[in-house]
Amino acid sequence: MESWTYRIPLIPNDAVTYILLYVPAAELLAVHRLVCRQWKEIIDGPTLWKKKCQWEGFIPKTIRRSPKSWKVFYVLSSLKRNLIRNPSAEGNLDGWKIISNGGDKWRIEDLPGDHGTPHPEEHVNKYFVTSFGKCEKEQIIDLNAEGYCSELLDNINPAIVVTDWYAARRDCGSKYNILVQLLSGSLEVLHEFCPETVVIEQWSDACWRKMTHTFKNYGHGVRYVRFNHAGQDTQIWKGWYGIRVTNSSVVVEPETLTVVSEGTKVVLPCQEA
């Protein structure tokens, strides 16, 4: 009997790339990459991921350079979001672990509040306010559970950007503290951001201030982020005259393709030009 073989014609790379644009990233990496050599080479290459970035609007208009890896840039861009739950008090105290509830305890108030000012970001409508005793709360974020695999964290070390907004009343002084830690799988502290206590004197401008810090090059082993902030008033007045906090965020950022300022800084929006 005569034997024969039939070869399926190779589909052009452009056609395969177009088809794979519609496939979720997780399936591309876990399933479709194993189909054949051609698909593996396309999925491992930059063209497919660059096109996915273009399709989904992840490439900034002011782009000045290409990322080191379009695949990593796409994955981080698609995952990018605020990992803090209930950052602006819209859900009362849901999502927060209360560490200290001194004085008259934490309270939620509407902006701008008594002797306060509007927040510079219009979508922020509420804030958490402290009392005459120390009020402290925190969240611990599981990065693996949020979609950031250990390999990505260990090998890429994507920037972890933390931000918090705080303000005092005009008629009362207050104190503010923030502590952010990068933790191992066993909750060992690997890196931390712990600036000095901010003291705002009575009869201040009541302007909202932004505290921000970026963790980079943190090495292997980071699996959790602890975000903790605290404060109280300095006059020891009964009620809620202490520091106000809102719009907290922890964001794992993709590689920056534009020129931006970096590191730790305090921004005073009402003094900006």
Side-chain angles (χ1 to χ4, degrees):
M1 177 183 293
E2 183 179 356
S3 62
W4 58 277
T5 58
Y6 176 75
R7 291 192 177 186
I8 300 174
L10 192 67
I11 302 174
N13 283 358
D14 287 348
V16 175
T17 299
Y18 182 79
I19 294 169
L20 295 180
L21 285 174
Y22 293 92
V23 180
E27 293 183 21
L28 287 174
L29 297 171
V31 180
H32 293 75
R33 186 173 175 274
L34 306 178
V35 169
C36 64
R37 180 181 297 178
Q38 181 193 23
W39 286 29
K40 180 181 183 298
E41 291 176 352
I42 291 173
I43 293 170
D44 286 348
T47 302
L48 170 64
W49 300 101
K50 182 177 181 180
K51 288 183 179 293
K52 287 179 76 68
C53 287
Q54 292 170 332
W55 272 39
E56 299 187 33
F58 293 150
I59 301 178
K61 294 180 180 179
T62 54
I63 184 172
R64 298 195 177 184
R65 62 182 180 81
S66 295
K68 296 176 183 176
S69 166
W70 281 107
K71 178 168 65 176
V72 170
F73 181 79
Y74 175 84
V75 170
L76 290 174
S77 296
S78 62
L79 288 172
K80 181 180 175 180
R81 64 199 185 281
N82 185 2
L83 301 178
I84 292 286
R85 291 171 290 164
N86 187 28
S88 303
E90 295 293 343
N92 199 8
L93 285 163
D94 290 351
W96 293 94
K97 179 181 179 181
I98 304 301
I99 307 300
S100 300
N101 225 354
D104 286 323
K105 304 181 180 182
W106 284 99
R107 187 163 95 154
I108 312 301
E109 294 183 351
D110 295 326
L111 279 155
D114 294 339
H115 294 275
T117 59
H119 195 277
E121 298 185 9
E122 294 183 357
H123 71 277
V124 181
N125 301 307
K126 296 177 182 290
Y127 57 83
F128 305 94
V129 60
T130 60
S131 188
F132 60 86
K134 182 179 180 181
C135 294
E136 179 182 2
K137 59 187 177 69
E138 72 177 23
Q139 293 188 26
I140 296 181
I141 299 164
D142 183 338
L143 294 172
N144 286 166
E146 295 292 345
Y148 299 93
C149 68
S150 299
E151 182 182 5
L152 179 67
L153 294 169
D154 290 345
N155 296 336
I156 303 301
N157 280 188
I160 300 175
V161 181
V162 297
T163 301
D164 202 24
W165 288 85
Y166 62 97
R169 294 171 57 114
R170 285 193 181 93
D171 61 343
C172 186
S174 60
K175 295 189 289 187
Y176 165 80
N177 290 96
I178 183 172
L179 168 67
V180 185
Q181 298 173 323
L182 302 187
L183 309 176
S184 69
S186 60
L187 301 184
E188 175 189 359
V189 177
L190 301 178
H191 301 274
E192 73 174 21
F193 169 61
C194 185
E196 294 182 357
T197 299
V198 176
V199 179
I200 302 177
E201 301 296 335
Q202 188 181 25
W203 306 117
S204 71
D205 54 21
C207 181
W208 284 94
R209 293 161 166 83
K210 182 168 71 169
M211 180 73 75
T212 182
H213 179 76
T214 301
F215 290 98
K216 290 185 174 182
N217 301 319
Y218 41 80
H220 286 61
V222 172
R223 299 295 180 264
Y224 296 90
V225 179
R226 171 183 281 126
F227 183 100
N228 175 295
H229 56 191
Q232 64 186 92
D233 77 47
T234 57
Q235 315 298 126
I236 318 298
W237 289 352
K238 182 172 176 57
W240 296 273
Y241 292 85
I243 202 72
R244 300 165 170 181
V245 292
T246 193
N247 203 27
S248 310
S249 66
V250 172
V251 179
V252 181
E253 293 278 359
E255 184 180 348
T256 301
L257 305 185
T258 58
V259 177
V260 295
S261 57
E262 300 178 349
T264 304
K265 59 183 178 181
V266 176
V267 180
L268 192 59
C270 56
Q271 292 183 355
E272 292 177 344

Coordinates of all heavy atoms in Angstrom, one line a residue, residues 195-250:
P195 N 8.2 57.9 56.6 CA 8.7 59.3 56.9 C 8.4 59.8 58.3 O 7.6 59.2 59.0 CB 8.0 60.1 55.8 CG 6.7 59.3 55.6 CD 7.1 57.9 55.8
E196 N 9.0 60.9 58.6 CA 8.8 61.5 59.9 C 7.3 61.9 60.1 O 6.7 62.2 59.1 CB 9.7 62.6 60.2 CG 11.2 62.3 60.3 CD 12.1 63.5 60.5 OE1 11.6 64.6 60.6 OE2 13.3 63.3 60.7
T197 N 6.9 62.0 61.3 CA 5.5 62.5 61.6 C 5.3 63.9 61.0 O 6.2 64.8 61.2 CB 5.2 62.5 63.1 OG1 5.4 61.2 63.6 CG2 3.9 63.1 63.4
V198 N 4.2 64.1 60.3 CA 3.9 65.4 59.8 C 3.0 66.1 60.8 O 2.0 65.6 61.2 CB 3.2 65.3 58.4 CG1 2.8 66.7 57.9 CG2 4.0 64.7 57.4
V199 N 3.5 67.3 61.3 CA 2.7 68.1 62.2 C 2.2 69.4 61.5 O 3.0 70.1 61.0 CB 3.6 68.5 63.4 CG1 2.7 69.3 64.4 CG2 4.1 67.2 64.1
I200 N 0.9 69.6 61.5 CA 0.3 70.8 60.9 C -0.2 71.7 62.0 O -1.0 71.2 62.9 CB -0.8 70.4 59.9 CG1 -0.3 69.4 58.9 CG2 -1.4 71.6 59.3 CD1 -1.3 68.9 57.9
E201 N 0.3 72.9 62.1 CA -0.1 73.8 63.1 C -1.5 74.3 63.0 O -2.1 74.3 61.9 CB 0.9 75.0 63.1 CG 2.3 74.6 63.3 CD 2.6 74.0 64.7 OE1 1.9 74.2 65.6 OE2 3.6 73.2 64.8
Q202 N -2.1 74.7 64.1 CA -3.4 75.4 64.2 C -3.4 76.6 63.3 O -2.4 77.3 63.1 CB -3.8 75.7 65.6 CG -5.2 76.2 65.8 CD -5.5 76.6 67.2 OE1 -4.6 76.9 68.0 NE2 -6.7 76.5 67.6
W203 N -4.5 76.8 62.6 CA -4.8 77.9 61.7 C -3.9 77.8 60.4 O -3.4 78.7 59.9 CB -4.5 79.3 62.4 CG -5.3 79.5 63.6 CD1 -4.8 79.7 64.9 CD2 -6.7 79.5 63.7 NE1 -5.9 79.8 65.8 CE2 -7.1 79.7 65.1 CE3 -7.8 79.4 62.8 CZ2 -8.4 79.7 65.5 CZ3 -9.1 79.4 63.2 CH2 -9.4 79.6 64.6
S204 N -3.8 76.6 60.0 CA -3.1 76.3 58.7 C -4.1 76.6 57.6 O -5.2 77.0 57.8 CB -2.7 74.8 58.6 OG -3.9 74.0 58.4
D205 N -3.6 76.4 56.3 CA -4.4 76.7 55.2 C -5.4 75.6 54.9 O -6.3 75.8 54.0 CB -3.5 76.9 53.9 CG -2.6 75.7 53.7 OD1 -2.9 74.6 54.2 OD2 -1.6 75.8 52.9
A206 N -5.4 74.5 55.6 CA -6.4 73.4 55.4 C -6.3 72.7 54.0 O -7.2 72.1 53.6 CB -7.8 73.8 55.7
C207 N -5.2 73.0 53.3 CA -5.0 72.5 52.0 C -4.8 71.0 52.0 O -4.1 70.5 52.9 CB -3.9 73.2 51.3 SG -3.6 72.7 49.6
W208 N -5.3 70.2 51.0 CA -5.0 68.8 50.9 C -3.6 68.6 50.3 O -3.2 69.3 49.4 CB -6.0 68.1 50.0 CG -7.3 67.9 50.7 CD1 -8.4 68.8 50.6 CD2 -7.7 66.8 51.5 NE1 -9.4 68.2 51.4 CE2 -9.0 67.0 52.0 CE3 -7.0 65.7 51.9 CZ2 -9.6 66.2 52.8 CZ3 -7.6 64.8 52.8 CH2 -8.9 65.0 53.2
R209 N -2.8 67.8 51.0 CA -1.5 67.5 50.6 C -1.4 66.0 50.1 O -2.1 65.1 50.7 CB -0.5 67.7 51.7 CG -0.4 69.2 52.1 CD 0.2 69.4 53.5 NE 0.6 70.7 53.7 CZ -0.2 71.7 54.1 NH1 -1.4 71.5 54.3 NH2 0.3 72.9 54.4
K210 N -0.5 65.7 49.2 CA -0.3 64.4 48.7 C 1.1 63.8 49.1 O 2.1 64.5 48.8 CB -0.5 64.3 47.2 CG -0.3 62.9 46.6 CD -0.8 62.8 45.1 CE 0.2 63.5 44.2 NZ -0.2 63.2 42.8
M211 N 1.1 62.7 49.8 CA 2.3 62.0 50.1 C 2.4 60.8 49.1 O 1.5 60.0 49.0 CB 2.3 61.5 51.5 CG 3.5 60.7 52.0 SD 4.9 61.8 52.2 CE 4.5 62.6 53.8
T212 N 3.6 60.7 48.5 CA 3.8 59.6 47.5 C 5.2 59.0 47.6 O 6.1 59.7 47.9 CB 3.4 60.0 46.1 OG1 3.6 58.9 45.2 CG2 4.3 61.2 45.7
H213 N 5.3 57.7 47.4 CA 6.6 57.1 47.3 C 6.5 55.9 46.3 O 5.5 55.3 46.2 CB 6.9 56.5 48.7 CG 8.2 55.8 48.8 ND1 9.4 56.4 48.8 CD2 8.5 54.4 48.8 CE1 10.4 55.5 48.9 NE2 9.9 54.3 48.9
T214 N 7.7 55.7 45.7 CA 7.8 54.6 44.7 C 8.9 53.6 45.1 O 10.0 54.0 45.4 CB 8.2 55.2 43.3 OG1 7.2 56.1 42.9 CG2 8.3 54.1 42.3
F215 N 8.4 52.3 45.2 CA 9.4 51.2 45.5 C 9.9 50.7 44.2 O 9.1 50.3 43.3 CB 8.7 50.1 46.3 CG 8.3 50.4 47.7 CD1 7.0 50.9 48.0 CD2 9.2 50.3 48.7 CE1 6.6 51.1 49.3 CE2 8.9 50.6 50.0 CZ 7.6 51.0 50.3
K216 N 11.2 50.6 44.1 CA 11.9 50.1 42.8 C 13.0 49.2 43.3 O 13.6 49.3 44.4 CB 12.4 51.2 41.9 CG 11.3 52.0 41.2 CD 12.0 53.0 40.3 CE 10.9 53.7 39.5 NZ 11.6 54.7 38.5
N217 N 13.4 48.3 42.4 CA 14.6 47.4 42.6 C 14.5 46.8 43.9 O 15.5 46.8 44.7 CB 15.8 48.3 42.4 CG 15.9 48.9 41.0 OD1 15.6 48.3 40.0 ND2 16.4 50.1 41.0
Y218 N 13.4 46.2 44.3 CA 13.3 45.6 45.6 C 13.7 44.1 45.7 O 13.5 43.5 46.8 CB 11.8 45.8 46.1 CG 10.8 45.6 45.1 CD1 10.3 44.3 44.7 CD2 10.2 46.6 44.4 CE1 9.4 44.1 43.8 CE2 9.2 46.4 43.5 CZ 8.8 45.2 43.1 OH 7.8 45.0 42.2
G219 N 14.1 43.6 44.6 CA 14.7 42.2 44.7 C 13.6 41.1 44.7 O 12.5 41.3 44.3
H220 N 14.0 40.0 45.2 CA 13.1 38.8 45.2 C 12.3 38.7 46.5 O 12.7 39.2 47.6 CB 13.9 37.5 45.1 CG 14.5 37.3 43.7 ND1 15.3 38.2 43.1 CD2 14.2 36.3 42.8 CE1 15.6 37.7 41.9 NE2 15.0 36.5 41.7
G221 N 11.2 38.1 46.4 CA 10.4 37.7 47.6 C 9.3 38.5 48.0 O 8.5 38.2 48.9
V222 N 9.0 39.7 47.4 CA 7.9 40.5 47.8 C 6.6 39.9 47.4 O 6.4 39.5 46.2 CB 8.0 41.9 47.2 CG1 6.8 42.8 47.4 CG2 9.3 42.7 47.7
R223 N 5.7 39.7 48.3 CA 4.4 39.1 48.1 C 3.2 39.9 48.6 O 2.1 39.7 48.2 CB 4.3 37.7 48.7 CG 5.4 36.7 48.1 CD 5.2 36.4 46.6 NE 6.2 35.5 46.1 CZ 7.3 36.0 45.5 NH1 7.5 37.3 45.3 NH2 8.2 35.1 45.1
Y224 N 3.5 40.8 49.6 CA 2.4 41.6 50.2 C 2.8 43.0 50.3 O 4.0 43.3 50.4 CB 2.0 41.0 51.6 CG 1.5 39.6 51.6 CD1 2.3 38.5 51.7 CD2 0.1 39.4 51.5 CE1 1.8 37.2 51.8 CE2 -0.4 38.1 51.6 CZ 0.5 37.0 51.7 OH 0.0 35.8 51.8
V225 N 1.8 43.9 50.4 CA 2.1 45.3 50.7 C 1.2 45.7 51.9 O 0.0 45.4 51.9 CB 1.7 46.2 49.5 CG1 2.0 47.7 49.9 CG2 2.5 45.9 48.3
R226 N 1.8 46.2 53.0 CA 1.1 46.7 54.1 C 1.0 48.2 54.0 O 2.0 48.9 53.9 CB 1.7 46.4 55.4 CG 1.1 47.1 56.6 CD 1.8 46.8 57.9 NE 1.3 45.5 58.4 CZ 2.2 44.5 58.8 NH1 3.5 44.7 58.6 NH2 1.7 43.3 59.2
F227 N -0.2 48.8 54.0 CA -0.5 50.2 53.9 C -1.1 50.6 55.2 O -2.2 50.2 55.5 CB -1.4 50.6 52.7 CG -1.6 52.0 52.5 CD1 -0.9 52.7 51.5 CD2 -2.5 52.7 53.3 CE1 -1.1 54.1 51.4 CE2 -2.8 54.1 53.1 CZ -2.1 54.8 52.2
N228 N -0.4 51.5 55.9 CA -0.9 51.9 57.3 C -0.8 53.4 57.4 O 0.2 54.0 57.0 CB 0.0 51.2 58.3 CG -0.3 51.7 59.8 OD1 -0.2 52.8 60.1 ND2 -0.8 50.7 60.6
H229 N -1.9 54.1 57.9 CA -1.8 55.5 58.2 C -2.5 55.8 59.5 O -3.4 55.0 59.9 CB -2.2 56.4 57.0 CG -3.6 56.1 56.5 ND1 -4.1 56.7 55.4 CD2 -4.6 55.4 57.0 CE1 -5.3 56.3 55.2 NE2 -5.7 55.5 56.2
A230 N -2.1 56.9 60.1 CA -2.6 57.2 61.4 C -2.6 58.7 61.7 O -1.9 59.4 60.9 CB -1.8 56.5 62.5
G231 N -3.2 59.1 62.7 CA -3.2 60.6 63.1 C -4.1 60.9 64.3 O -4.8 60.0 64.8
Q232 N -4.1 62.2 64.6 CA -4.9 62.7 65.7 C -4.8 64.2 65.7 O -3.9 64.8 65.0 CB -4.5 62.1 67.0 CG -3.1 62.5 67.5 CD -2.7 61.8 68.8 OE1 -2.1 60.7 68.7 NE2 -3.1 62.3 69.9
D233 N -5.6 64.9 66.5 CA -5.4 66.3 66.7 C -4.3 66.6 67.7 O -3.9 65.7 68.5 CB -6.7 67.0 66.9 CG -7.2 66.9 68.4 OD1 -6.4 67.1 69.3 OD2 -8.4 66.6 68.6
T234 N -3.9 67.9 67.8 CA -2.9 68.3 68.7 C -3.4 69.1 69.9 O -2.7 69.5 70.8 CB -1.7 69.0 68.0 OG1 -2.3 70.2 67.4 CG2 -1.0 68.1 67.0
Q235 N -4.7 69.5 69.8 CA -5.3 70.3 70.8 C -6.0 69.5 71.9 O -6.5 70.0 72.9 CB -6.3 71.3 70.2 CG -5.9 71.9 68.9 CD -4.7 72.8 69.1 OE1 -3.7 72.7 68.4 NE2 -4.8 73.8 70.0
I236 N -6.2 68.2 71.6 CA -6.9 67.3 72.5 C -8.4 67.8 72.7 O -8.9 67.9 73.8 CB -6.2 67.1 73.9 CG1 -4.7 67.0 73.7 CG2 -6.8 65.9 74.6 CD1 -4.3 65.8 72.9
W237 N -9.0 68.1 71.6 CA -10.4 68.6 71.6 C -11.3 67.4 71.4 O -11.1 66.6 70.5 CB -10.7 69.6 70.6 CG -10.0 70.9 70.8 CD1 -9.4 71.3 72.0 CD2 -10.0 72.0 69.9 NE1 -8.9 72.6 71.8 CE2 -9.3 73.1 70.6 CE3 -10.4 72.2 68.6 CZ2 -9.0 74.3 70.0 CZ3 -10.1 73.5 68.0 CH2 -9.5 74.5 68.7
K238 N -12.4 67.3 72.2 CA -13.3 66.2 72.0 C -14.0 66.4 70.7 O -14.4 67.5 70.3 CB -14.4 66.2 73.1 CG -15.4 65.1 73.0 CD -16.3 65.0 74.2 CE -17.4 63.9 74.0 NZ -16.8 62.6 73.8
G239 N -14.2 65.2 70.0 CA -14.9 65.3 68.7 C -13.9 64.8 67.6 O -13.0 64.0 67.9
W240 N -14.0 65.4 66.4 CA -13.2 64.9 65.2 C -12.5 66.1 64.6 O -12.9 66.7 63.6 CB -14.2 64.2 64.2 CG -14.8 63.0 64.8 CD1 -14.2 61.7 64.8 CD2 -16.0 62.9 65.5 NE1 -15.0 60.9 65.5 CE2 -16.1 61.5 65.9 CE3 -17.0 63.8 65.9 CZ2 -17.2 61.1 66.6 CZ3 -18.1 63.3 66.6 CH2 -18.2 62.0 67.0
Y241 N -11.4 66.5 65.3 CA -10.6 67.7 64.9 C -9.3 67.3 64.4 O -8.4 68.1 64.1 CB -10.5 68.6 66.1 CG -11.8 69.3 66.5 CD1 -12.7 68.7 67.3 CD2 -12.1 70.6 66.0 CE1 -13.8 69.3 67.7 CE2 -13.3 71.2 66.3 CZ -14.2 70.5 67.2 OH -15.4 71.1 67.6
G242 N -9.0 66.0 64.3 CA -7.7 65.5 63.9 C -7.5 65.4 62.4 O -8.3 66.0 61.6
I243 N -6.4 64.8 62.0 CA -6.0 64.7 60.5 C -7.1 64.0 59.7 O -7.8 63.1 60.2 CB -4.7 64.0 60.4 CG1 -4.0 64.4 59.0 CG2 -4.8 62.5 60.5 CD1 -3.5 65.8 59.0
R244 N -7.3 64.5 58.5 CA -8.2 63.9 57.6 C -7.4 63.2 56.5 O -6.4 63.7 56.0 CB -9.1 65.0 56.9 CG -9.9 65.7 58.0 CD -10.5 67.0 57.5 NE -11.4 67.6 58.4 CZ -12.1 68.7 58.2 NH1 -11.9 69.4 57.1 NH2 -13.0 69.2 59.1
V245 N -7.9 62.0 56.1 CA -7.2 61.2 55.0 C -8.2 60.7 54.0 O -9.3 60.3 54.4 CB -6.3 60.1 55.6 CG1 -5.2 60.6 56.4 CG2 -7.2 59.1 56.5
T246 N -7.8 60.6 52.8 CA -8.6 60.0 51.7 C -7.8 59.7 50.5 O -6.7 60.0 50.4 CB -9.8 61.0 51.4 OG1 -10.8 60.3 50.6 CG2 -9.3 62.2 50.6
N247 N -8.5 59.0 49.5 CA -8.0 58.8 48.2 C -6.6 58.1 48.3 O -5.7 58.4 47.5 CB -7.9 60.1 47.4 CG -7.8 59.9 45.9 OD1 -8.4 58.9 45.4 ND2 -7.2 60.8 45.2
S248 N -6.5 57.1 49.2 CA -5.2 56.4 49.3 C -5.1 55.4 48.1 O -6.1 55.0 47.6 CB -5.2 55.6 50.6 OG -5.6 56.4 51.7
S249 N -3.9 55.1 47.7 CA -3.7 54.2 46.6 C -2.4 53.4 46.7 O -1.4 53.9 47.2 CB -3.8 54.9 45.3 OG -2.7 55.8 45.1
V250 N -2.5 52.2 46.2 CA -1.3 51.3 45.9 C -1.4 50.8 44.5 O -2.4 50.1 44.2 CB -1.1 50.2 46.9 CG1 0.0 49.2 46.5 CG2 -0.9 50.7 48.3

